[in-house]
Amino acid sequence: QVQVVESGGGLMQPGGSLTLSCVASGNIFGMVAMGWYRQAPGKERELVAAINRGGGTDYKDSVKGRFTISRDYDMHTVYLQMNSLKPEDTAVYYCNARDVRGDYWGKGTLVTVSS
């Protein structure tokens, strides 16, 4: 059993910053990558940022230069530093952990960007 738990969401004004955290625990075998996805109301879930075991990263074009994904050395904790937040960043943010056996998802944390 693998558990994935996100934290750090909340309400922020445009231009502000938030940091999301995600911890994966349990019977993890060979973590391959961790990432952040988001789903806005009425839209499909989309990749925001991901980081692999080697430290390589991938970002959605609209967050490049504003968001930074990082991880702890053991690859069981991942962070998403979000700067210069925009109203269009409002969504439920989900953490994904991928090991050699499959994908595991958290329940999500809501980020609302509004004045």
Side-chain angles (χ1 to χ4, degrees):
Q1 193 82 358
V2 176
Q3 295 81 40
V4 178
V5 179
E6 308 98 335
S7 62
L11 173 64
M12 181 56 61
Q13 291 187 341
S17 298
L18 275 176
T19 300
L20 305 182
S21 300
C22 171
V23 178
S25 61
N27 192 21
I28 298 166
F29 186 73
M31 189 73 82
V32 174
M34 294 185 75
W36 289 95
Y37 291 71
R38 69 186 182 189
Q39 187 167 18
K43 296 187 176 181
E44 294 185 352
R45 189 174 298 189
E46 61 182 7
L47 175 67
V48 177
I51 186 166
N52 62 33
R53 188 167 189 83
T57 57
D58 187 26
Y59 292 94
K60 178 179 174 60
D61 283 347
S62 64
V63 307
K64 287 180 180 178
R66 299 189 298 122
F67 291 10
T68 303
I69 190 169
S70 61
R71 60 172 172 81
D72 282 357
Y73 180 78
D74 66 2
M75 193 67 186
H76 287 186
T77 303
V78 66
Y79 307 94
L80 186 67
Q81 174 67 43
M82 305 185 293
N83 298 326
S84 302
L85 283 163
K86 303 177 180 181
E88 50 264 43
D89 295 319
T90 294
V92 177
Y93 284 70
Y94 296 91
C95 180
N96 170 268
R98 175 175 295 174
D99 72 5
V100 294
R101 296 172 301 181
D103 287 288
Y104 309 95
W105 293 90
K107 294 182 179 180
T109 185
L110 177 63
V111 173
T112 303
V113 184
S114 174
S115 55

